[in-house]
């Protein structure tokens, strides 16, 4: 690549940071990292009504959580209005733009008329060559003009790095507004001024913007500016093949964080949402992503957001995490969720024993927390199906076995997983029953669950006192 790589994301801060924006940010970040380039954050907050600083902060925080850092910015468009005004004047002077005094009411009436006649509406250039007197009249009436771009005849072609050659006839493009009558620039105008002034070399953004690109190129040409390379990233669809939206459940980064997804797993998953390194590799570390990422391997076809795959991937990251890291991410998640464990169970010592056993069977940190509950809280909820299956068929016999087991545990000199297993095996022999007939009900009685770490590990984790207590207060 001969040109210095400078990329950006330019989110409008009008809500939570969603997965589409996170994916765009990640691709820009990976592209910048792999080319020693610069990643810029620009907040496109010219829509004063809908933009909030809170949302801008949520975007910055969400990207930070994913470990996606930017090198420049955030720049705020709302602080750059003078720049856009100056550049609009330049286009007015060069004849590439003109003032338009048409009121919204007039334009709306025209649009309705066209609709009724079933023809496409285009601005009729009524103000293009407005006689000086009329202009003065409007000014005297206090009408503030918008500024429209004068779309030339012909067509524009460009080569999208993902979608290939794209051509659009200008006759399909209106003389679009570049500065509204209130002095605020439109997206297409501000984005061009900024991408030029910020020396953006590659614009990698969602495919929804592909139709804006022609208008933007027309503006670059009018200014005589160099045009950046464009690459439009594939759409992200839900499993129902409809465009991903709130209907599909958790789509903001904060929600994924609450659900206990790990930043590394999210990054890995988002990277594969429209890109692949070739072959069928799925687990790819951040460092490898930087090495492997290339625009050539971005798909043209839509990506499907597969929640099951994300959960599986997160589980893989949890399973292979070393203990200090596991402790760190879990405690960080508890803080984020504002959950406080009872003091006696929040020590590193206790968590170091229990977390590896339950993380192995969990896909998210929320699942880890759920599996931890029987060990940190005495108010058990019992699995109804488990009770039906393992208790209710012959409650009297089960109760008798469990109380016998309890007696033996009480008498043990030393209580640990080996001794607890030893006396259970003896009892099974003596009673002439199958081990499962007592193991399953014991598990439910002491944890409320039918699944979990090996039973005797559970007993040791709980400690004799709590095991005896729970075997006394049986659920049935
Ligand atoms: N503000 C635009 C958006 O959020 C930016 C699009 C672009 O990257 O050009 O969709």
């Amino acid at each position: 690549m001969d040109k210095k790589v400078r990329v950006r994301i330019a989110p409008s801060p009008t809500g939570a940071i969603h997965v589409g924006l996170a994916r765009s940010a990640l691709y820009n970040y990976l592209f910048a990292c792999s080319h020693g380039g610069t990643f810029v954050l620009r907040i496109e907050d010219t829509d004063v009504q809908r933009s909030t600083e809170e949302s801008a902060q949520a975007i910055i925080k969400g990207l930070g959580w994913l470990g996606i850092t930017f090198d420049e910015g955030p720049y705020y468009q709302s602080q750059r209005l003078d720049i856009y005004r100056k550049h609009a004047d330049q286009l007015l002077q060069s004849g590439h733009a003109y003032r338009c005094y048409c009121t919204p009411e007039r334009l709306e009436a025209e649009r309705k008329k066209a609709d009724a006649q079933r023809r496409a509406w285009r601005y009729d250039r009524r103000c293009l060559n407005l006689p000086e007197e009329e202009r003065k009249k409007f000014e005297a009436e206090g009408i503030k003009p918008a500024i429209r771009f004068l779309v030339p005849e012909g067509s524009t072609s460009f080569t999208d790095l993902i979608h290939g050659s794209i051509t659009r006839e200008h006759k399909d493009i209106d003389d679009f507004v570049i500065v509204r009558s209130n002095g605020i620039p439109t997206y297409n105008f501000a984005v061009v001024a900024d991408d030029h002034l910020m020396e953006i070399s590659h614009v990698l953004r969602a495919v929804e913007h592909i139709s804006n690109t022609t208008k933007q190129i027309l503006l670059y040409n009018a200014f005589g500016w160099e045009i950046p390379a464009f690459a439009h990233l594939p759409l992200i669809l839900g499993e129902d093949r409809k465009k991903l939206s709130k209907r599909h459940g958790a789509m903001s980064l904060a929600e994924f964080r609450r659900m206990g997804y790990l930043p590394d797993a999210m990054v890995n998953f988002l990277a594969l949402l429209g890109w692949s390194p070739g072959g069928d590799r799925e687990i790819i570390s951040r460092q490898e992503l930087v090495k492997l990422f290339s625009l050539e391997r971005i798909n043209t076809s839509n990506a499907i957001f597969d929640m099951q795959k994300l959960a599986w991937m997160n589980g893989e990251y949890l399973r292979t995490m070393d203990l200090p890291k596991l402790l760190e991410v879990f405690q960080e998640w508890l803080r984020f969720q504002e959950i406080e464990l009872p003091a006696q169970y929040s020590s590193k010592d206790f968590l170091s024993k229990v977390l590896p056993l339950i993380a192995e069977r969990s896909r998210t940190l929320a699942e880890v927390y759920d599996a931890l509950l029987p060990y940190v809280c005495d108010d058990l909820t019992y699995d109804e199906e488990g009770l039906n299956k393992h208790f209710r068929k012959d409650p009297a016999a089960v109760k008798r076995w469990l109380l016998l087991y309890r007696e033996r545990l009480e008498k043990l000199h030393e209580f640990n997983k080996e001794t607890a297993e030893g006396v259970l095996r003896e009892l099974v022999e003596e009673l002439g029953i199958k081990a499962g007939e007592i193991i399953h009900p014991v598990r439910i009685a002491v944890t409320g669950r039918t699944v979990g770490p090996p039973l005797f590990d559970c007993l040791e984790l709980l400690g004799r006192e709590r095991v005896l207590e729970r075997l006394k207060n049986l659920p049935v």
Side-chain angles (χ1 to χ4, degrees):
M1 211 151 299
D2 42 3
K3 212 161 120 193
K4 196 165 166 1
V5 167
R6 286 180 57 88
V7 291
R8 61 20 170 218
I9 51 160
S12 307
T14 54
I17 167 165
H18 51 86
V19 291
L21 174 57
R23 197 242 350 224
S24 293
L26 177 64
Y27 284 19
N28 276 282
Y29 169 80
L30 291 174
F31 187 67
C33 287
S34 58
H35 289 92
T38 303
F39 179 34
V40 179
L41 174 62
R42 183 172 72 232
I43 303 289
E44 300 207 328
D45 58 345
T46 52
D47 183 345
V48 236
Q49 234 111 73
R50 295 176 59 225
S51 300
T52 64
E53 179 54 22
E54 193 191 344
S55 159
Q57 288 308 321
I59 290 168
I60 295 169
K61 206 162 134 195
L63 294 180
W65 174 64
L66 287 179
I68 299 177
T69 47
F70 46 90
D71 309 296
E72 259 183 43
Y75 297 109
Y76 285 80
Q77 283 191 330
S78 58
Q79 293 167 9
R80 299 169 56 81
L81 298 180
D82 285 350
I83 298 176
Y84 311 125
R85 236 163 261 156
K86 197 182 95 199
H87 284 89
D89 282 346
Q90 199 178 317
L91 290 188
L92 283 172
Q93 263 152 35
S94 62
H96 288 99
Y98 57 95
R99 291 192 178 80
C100 170
Y101 294 85
C102 294
T103 58
E105 293 74 31
R106 172 183 180 257
L107 297 173
E108 190 46 37
E110 295 267 310
R111 202 170 289 133
K112 278 203 178 123
K113 205 159 96 194
D115 276 356
Q117 294 167 356
R118 291 177 183 274
R119 59 181 167 86
W121 182 80
R122 272 185 58 179
Y123 177 62
D124 59 6
R125 292 189 165 166
R126 178 179 171 158
C127 294
L128 175 56
N129 295 310
L130 206 60
E132 193 50 21
E133 294 147 45
E134 268 192 64
R135 194 180 74 80
K136 283 208 178 117
K137 198 182 107 221
F138 287 135
E139 297 270 338
E141 283 169 20
I143 297 178
K144 295 258 176 293
I147 301 176
R148 284 184 187 272
F149 183 71
L150 177 59
V151 175
E153 286 185 1
S155 64
T156 291
S157 297
F158 69 98
T159 304
D160 185 282
L161 296 180
I162 298 169
H163 299 271
S165 171
I166 293 172
T167 300
R168 209 168 149 205
E169 300 292 331
H170 297 175
K171 64 177 169 40
D172 301 330
I173 306 174
D174 224 3
D175 281 356
F176 54 94
V177 171
I178 56 174
V179 179
R180 298 185 184 89
S181 54
N182 61 5
I184 303 289
T186 55
Y187 156 69
N188 278 314
F189 184 61
V191 83
V192 167
D194 282 342
D195 283 344
H196 168 74
L197 295 170
M198 295 175 190
E199 297 176 31
I200 299 304
S201 60
H202 295 75
V203 173
L204 319 184
R205 63 181 168 199
V207 74
E208 288 94 319
H209 287 291
I210 216 163
S211 62
N212 286 320
T213 309
T214 309
K215 289 183 185 171
Q216 294 174 15
I217 290 176
L218 287 172
L219 287 164
Y220 279 102
N221 289 338
F223 281 113
W225 289 340
E226 194 182 336
I227 299 167
F230 290 100
H232 287 91
L233 312 176
L235 265 187
I236 306 178
L237 305 182
E239 278 158 72
D240 55 1
R241 315 278 143 150
K242 301 224 169 82
K243 191 171 172 232
L244 202 63
S245 72
K246 288 217 179 80
R247 281 180 303 110
H248 294 93
M251 285 309 141
S252 82
L253 277 194
E255 280 171 75
F256 284 104
R257 189 172 180 184
R258 269 194 287 281
M259 284 153 67
Y261 286 95
L262 302 161
D264 284 346
M266 276 313 286
V267 160
N268 188 159
F269 177 79
L270 290 172
L272 295 178
L273 217 49
W275 169 86
S276 105
D280 49 14
R281 279 195 63 196
E282 306 249 59
I283 304 289
I284 310 171
S285 72
R286 227 174 252 266
Q287 291 78 357
E288 276 183 288
L289 285 175
V290 170
K291 267 197 231 137
L292 296 171
F293 187 78
S294 73
L295 296 182
E296 290 76 44
R297 298 208 65 98
I298 294 181
N299 305 326
T300 45
S301 53
N302 300 332
I304 309 283
F305 195 98
D306 179 348
M307 277 301 265
Q308 289 305 321
K309 179 169 163 184
L310 173 60
W312 164 80
M313 194 171 268
N314 207 64
E316 289 297 302
Y317 274 84
L318 268 183
R319 245 185 302 289
T320 50
M321 197 170 260
D322 61 28
L323 181 57
K325 180 87 182 154
L326 178 61
L327 261 173
E328 181 195 315
V329 296
F330 184 63
Q331 285 173 321
E332 199 263 340
W333 182 81
L334 289 178
R335 277 193 298 276
F336 181 72
Q337 292 288 83
E338 297 178 13
I339 296 174
E340 247 181 79
L341 296 178
Q344 67 271 38
Y345 303 123
S346 60
S347 73
K348 239 185 180 165
D349 241 23
F350 175 75
L351 290 177
S352 299
K353 278 190 218 135
V354 61
L355 286 184
L357 284 169
I358 56 181
E360 218 179 293
R361 293 164 180 79
S362 309
R363 296 177 309 170
T364 62
L365 293 170
E367 283 183 15
V368 170
Y369 176 65
D370 180 65
L372 179 70
L373 284 176
Y375 307 94
V376 298
C377 152
D378 286 320
D379 193 11
L380 292 189
T381 36
Y382 298 94
D383 181 299
E384 270 303 311
E385 258 181 57
L387 289 178
N388 285 338
K389 195 161 164 206
H390 302 297
F391 266 88
R392 292 196 175 115
K393 283 191 184 135
D394 190 352
V398 173
K399 257 187 196 170
R400 192 162 56 83
W401 300 336
L402 295 200
L403 289 177
L404 279 172
Y405 185 44
R406 186 179 180 280
E407 268 172 32
R408 305 214 174 178
L409 292 176
E410 201 170 11
K411 284 196 202 125
L412 279 177
H413 270 302
E414 207 183 314
F415 178 91
N416 59 38
K417 60 183 178 185
E418 286 84 19
T419 57
E421 175 161 14
V423 285
L424 185 128
R425 302 281 170 207
E426 275 168 29
L427 188 62
V428 163
E429 279 283 301
E430 285 171 35
L431 294 172
I433 57 174
K434 284 192 229 118
E437 286 182 276
I438 182 160
I439 285 181
H440 293 306
V442 171
R443 178 189 292 286
I444 297 178
V446 300
T447 67
R449 318 281 169 100
T450 54
V451 287
L455 177 66
F456 304 107
D457 286 296
C458 299
L459 298 183
E460 187 175 306
L461 281 170
L462 286 164
R464 171 147 45 188
E465 217 176 292
R466 285 199 289 170
V467 170
L468 295 182
E469 188 63 23
R470 291 178 187 186
L471 286 176
K472 193 160 74 187
N473 303 320
L474 292 176
V476 170

PDB file of all heavy atoms in Angstrom, residues 8-26:
ATOM      1  N   ARG A   8     -11.387   5.457   9.794  1.00  0.00           N
ATOM      2  CA  ARG A   8     -12.189   6.078  10.864  1.00  0.00           C
ATOM      3  C   ARG A   8     -13.502   5.343  11.014  1.00  0.00           C
ATOM      4  O   ARG A   8     -13.947   4.627  10.121  1.00  0.00           O
ATOM      5  CB  ARG A   8     -12.431   7.555  10.568  1.00  0.00           C
ATOM      6  CG  ARG A   8     -13.177   8.039   9.317  1.00  0.00           C
ATOM      7  CD  ARG A   8     -14.028   7.160   8.596  1.00  0.00           C
ATOM      8  NE  ARG A   8     -14.869   7.737   7.576  1.00  0.00           N
ATOM      9  CZ  ARG A   8     -16.124   7.335   7.349  1.00  0.00           C
ATOM     10  NH1 ARG A   8     -16.653   6.356   8.024  1.00  0.00           N
ATOM     11  NH2 ARG A   8     -16.826   7.895   6.389  1.00  0.00           N
ATOM     12  N   ILE A   9     -14.112   5.505  12.187  1.00  0.00           N
ATOM     13  CA  ILE A   9     -15.547   5.254  12.240  1.00  0.00           C
ATOM     14  C   ILE A   9     -16.176   6.586  12.584  1.00  0.00           C
ATOM     15  O   ILE A   9     -15.554   7.435  13.244  1.00  0.00           O
ATOM     16  CB  ILE A   9     -15.983   4.170  13.244  1.00  0.00           C
ATOM     17  CG1 ILE A   9     -15.409   4.414  14.626  1.00  0.00           C
ATOM     18  CG2 ILE A   9     -15.701   2.782  12.733  1.00  0.00           C
ATOM     19  CD1 ILE A   9     -16.191   3.682  15.705  1.00  0.00           C
ATOM     20  N   ALA A  10     -17.401   6.743  12.118  1.00  0.00           N
ATOM     21  CA  ALA A  10     -18.056   8.037  12.255  1.00  0.00           C
ATOM     22  C   ALA A  10     -19.480   7.848  12.771  1.00  0.00           C
ATOM     23  O   ALA A  10     -20.444   8.158  12.088  1.00  0.00           O
ATOM     24  CB  ALA A  10     -18.053   8.743  10.893  1.00  0.00           C
ATOM     25  N   PRO A  11     -19.619   7.309  13.970  1.00  0.00           N
ATOM     26  CA  PRO A  11     -20.968   6.994  14.450  1.00  0.00           C
ATOM     27  C   PRO A  11     -21.793   8.236  14.793  1.00  0.00           C
ATOM     28  O   PRO A  11     -21.241   9.261  15.201  1.00  0.00           O
ATOM     29  CB  PRO A  11     -20.706   6.177  15.724  1.00  0.00           C
ATOM     30  CG  PRO A  11     -19.365   6.614  16.193  1.00  0.00           C
ATOM     31  CD  PRO A  11     -18.578   6.924  14.952  1.00  0.00           C
ATOM     32  N   SER A  12     -23.093   8.106  14.603  1.00  0.00           N
ATOM     33  CA  SER A  12     -24.016   9.138  15.071  1.00  0.00           C
ATOM     34  C   SER A  12     -24.416   8.728  16.482  1.00  0.00           C
ATOM     35  O   SER A  12     -24.899   7.625  16.676  1.00  0.00           O
ATOM     36  CB  SER A  12     -25.254   9.180  14.178  1.00  0.00           C
ATOM     37  OG  SER A  12     -24.838   9.308  12.836  1.00  0.00           O
ATOM     38  N   PRO A  13     -24.200   9.600  17.461  1.00  0.00           N
ATOM     39  CA  PRO A  13     -24.441   9.193  18.854  1.00  0.00           C
ATOM     40  C   PRO A  13     -25.902   9.312  19.230  1.00  0.00           C
ATOM     41  O   PRO A  13     -26.310  10.199  19.959  1.00  0.00           O
ATOM     42  CB  PRO A  13     -23.583  10.184  19.640  1.00  0.00           C
ATOM     43  CG  PRO A  13     -23.593  11.414  18.788  1.00  0.00           C
ATOM     44  CD  PRO A  13     -23.719  10.986  17.366  1.00  0.00           C
ATOM     45  N   THR A  14     -26.703   8.391  18.721  1.00  0.00           N
ATOM     46  CA  THR A  14     -28.151   8.505  18.940  1.00  0.00           C
ATOM     47  C   THR A  14     -28.710   7.304  19.683  1.00  0.00           C
ATOM     48  O   THR A  14     -29.904   7.080  19.670  1.00  0.00           O
ATOM     49  CB  THR A  14     -28.881   8.655  17.589  1.00  0.00           C
ATOM     50  OG1 THR A  14     -28.475   7.552  16.760  1.00  0.00           O
ATOM     51  CG2 THR A  14     -28.546   9.941  16.908  1.00  0.00           C
ATOM     52  N   GLY A  15     -27.855   6.511  20.276  1.00  0.00           N
ATOM     53  CA  GLY A  15     -28.380   5.360  21.021  1.00  0.00           C
ATOM     54  C   GLY A  15     -27.241   4.518  21.533  1.00  0.00           C
ATOM     55  O   GLY A  15     -26.101   4.980  21.591  1.00  0.00           O
ATOM     56  N   ALA A  16     -27.563   3.284  21.880  1.00  0.00           N
ATOM     57  CA  ALA A  16     -26.545   2.388  22.430  1.00  0.00           C
ATOM     58  C   ALA A  16     -25.604   1.942  21.310  1.00  0.00           C
ATOM     59  O   ALA A  16     -25.948   2.038  20.131  1.00  0.00           O
ATOM     60  CB  ALA A  16     -27.226   1.175  23.042  1.00  0.00           C
ATOM     61  N   ILE A  17     -24.433   1.456  21.679  1.00  0.00           N
ATOM     62  CA  ILE A  17     -23.521   0.932  20.650  1.00  0.00           C
ATOM     63  C   ILE A  17     -23.932  -0.496  20.324  1.00  0.00           C
ATOM     64  O   ILE A  17     -23.976  -1.358  21.181  1.00  0.00           O
ATOM     65  CB  ILE A  17     -22.028   1.067  21.039  1.00  0.00           C
ATOM     66  CG1 ILE A  17     -21.145   0.241  20.099  1.00  0.00           C
ATOM     67  CG2 ILE A  17     -21.748   0.715  22.482  1.00  0.00           C
ATOM     68  CD1 ILE A  17     -19.668   0.581  20.174  1.00  0.00           C
ATOM     69  N   HIS A  18     -24.293  -0.701  19.056  1.00  0.00           N
ATOM     70  CA  HIS A  18     -24.828  -1.998  18.650  1.00  0.00           C
ATOM     71  C   HIS A  18     -23.763  -2.807  17.914  1.00  0.00           C
ATOM     72  O   HIS A  18     -22.682  -2.295  17.585  1.00  0.00           O
ATOM     73  CB  HIS A  18     -26.076  -1.802  17.800  1.00  0.00           C
ATOM     74  CG  HIS A  18     -25.853  -0.840  16.676  1.00  0.00           C
ATOM     75  ND1 HIS A  18     -25.334  -1.225  15.471  1.00  0.00           N
ATOM     76  CD2 HIS A  18     -26.018   0.499  16.612  1.00  0.00           C
ATOM     77  CE1 HIS A  18     -25.203  -0.164  14.706  1.00  0.00           C
ATOM     78  NE2 HIS A  18     -25.608   0.893  15.375  1.00  0.00           N
ATOM     79  N   VAL A  19     -24.081  -4.063  17.611  1.00  0.00           N
ATOM     80  CA  VAL A  19     -23.054  -4.945  17.064  1.00  0.00           C
ATOM     81  C   VAL A  19     -22.577  -4.511  15.668  1.00  0.00           C
ATOM     82  O   VAL A  19     -21.423  -4.734  15.329  1.00  0.00           O
ATOM     83  CB  VAL A  19     -23.505  -6.422  17.028  1.00  0.00           C
ATOM     84  CG1 VAL A  19     -23.615  -6.977  18.426  1.00  0.00           C
ATOM     85  CG2 VAL A  19     -24.774  -6.603  16.271  1.00  0.00           C
ATOM     86  N   GLY A  20     -23.444  -3.880  14.877  1.00  0.00           N
ATOM     87  CA  GLY A  20     -23.037  -3.440  13.539  1.00  0.00           C
ATOM     88  C   GLY A  20     -21.910  -2.419  13.635  1.00  0.00           C
ATOM     89  O   GLY A  20     -20.890  -2.517  12.946  1.00  0.00           O
ATOM     90  N   LEU A  21     -22.091  -1.466  14.520  1.00  0.00           N
ATOM     91  CA  LEU A  21     -21.055  -0.439  14.699  1.00  0.00           C
ATOM     92  C   LEU A  21     -19.782  -1.062  15.282  1.00  0.00           C
ATOM     93  O   LEU A  21     -18.671  -0.736  14.859  1.00  0.00           O
ATOM     94  CB  LEU A  21     -21.588   0.677  15.613  1.00  0.00           C
ATOM     95  CG  LEU A  21     -20.581   1.753  16.000  1.00  0.00           C
ATOM     96  CD1 LEU A  21     -19.986   2.423  14.767  1.00  0.00           C
ATOM     97  CD2 LEU A  21     -21.238   2.799  16.903  1.00  0.00           C
ATOM     98  N   ALA A  22     -19.967  -1.989  16.216  1.00  0.00           N
ATOM     99  CA  ALA A  22     -18.792  -2.630  16.822  1.00  0.00           C
ATOM    100  C   ALA A  22     -18.016  -3.399  15.756  1.00  0.00           C
ATOM    101  O   ALA A  22     -16.786  -3.371  15.728  1.00  0.00           O
ATOM    102  CB  ALA A  22     -19.227  -3.578  17.944  1.00  0.00           C
ATOM    103  N   ARG A  23     -18.746  -4.061  14.840  1.00  0.00           N
ATOM    104  CA  ARG A  23     -18.050  -4.801  13.787  1.00  0.00           C
ATOM    105  C   ARG A  23     -17.299  -3.836  12.858  1.00  0.00           C
ATOM    106  O   ARG A  23     -16.147  -4.060  12.497  1.00  0.00           O
ATOM    107  CB  ARG A  23     -19.054  -5.656  12.994  1.00  0.00           C
ATOM    108  CG  ARG A  23     -18.381  -6.725  12.175  1.00  0.00           C
ATOM    109  CD  ARG A  23     -18.554  -6.668  10.668  1.00  0.00           C
ATOM    110  NE  ARG A  23     -19.490  -5.772  10.105  1.00  0.00           N
ATOM    111  CZ  ARG A  23     -20.330  -6.106   9.129  1.00  0.00           C
ATOM    112  NH1 ARG A  23     -20.388  -7.354   8.719  1.00  0.00           N
ATOM    113  NH2 ARG A  23     -21.106  -5.208   8.581  1.00  0.00           N
ATOM    114  N   SER A  24     -17.949  -2.726  12.468  1.00  0.00           N
ATOM    115  CA  SER A  24     -17.262  -1.739  11.616  1.00  0.00           C
ATOM    116  C   SER A  24     -16.014  -1.219  12.314  1.00  0.00           C
ATOM    117  O   SER A  24     -14.953  -1.078  11.693  1.00  0.00           O
ATOM    118  CB  SER A  24     -18.152  -0.527  11.326  1.00  0.00           C
ATOM    119  OG  SER A  24     -19.236  -0.899  10.543  1.00  0.00           O
ATOM    120  N   ALA A  25     -16.151  -0.920  13.613  1.00  0.00           N
ATOM    121  CA  ALA A  25     -15.010  -0.406  14.368  1.00  0.00           C
ATOM    122  C   ALA A  25     -13.880  -1.432  14.367  1.00  0.00           C
ATOM    123  O   ALA A  25     -12.722  -1.101  14.124  1.00  0.00           O
ATOM    124  CB  ALA A  25     -15.426  -0.072  15.805  1.00  0.00           C
ATOM    125  N   LEU A  26     -14.245  -2.691  14.594  1.00  0.00           N
ATOM    126  CA  LEU A  26     -13.224  -3.736  14.656  1.00  0.00           C
ATOM    127  C   LEU A  26     -12.491  -3.874  13.323  1.00  0.00           C
ATOM    128  O   LEU A  26     -11.261  -3.962  13.285  1.00  0.00           O
ATOM    129  CB  LEU A  26     -13.874  -5.080  15.039  1.00  0.00           C
ATOM    130  CG  LEU A  26     -12.922  -6.271  15.061  1.00  0.00           C
ATOM    131  CD1 LEU A  26     -11.844  -6.096  16.135  1.00  0.00           C
ATOM    132  CD2 LEU A  26     -13.685  -7.580  15.295  1.00  0.00           C
TER     133      LEU A  26
END
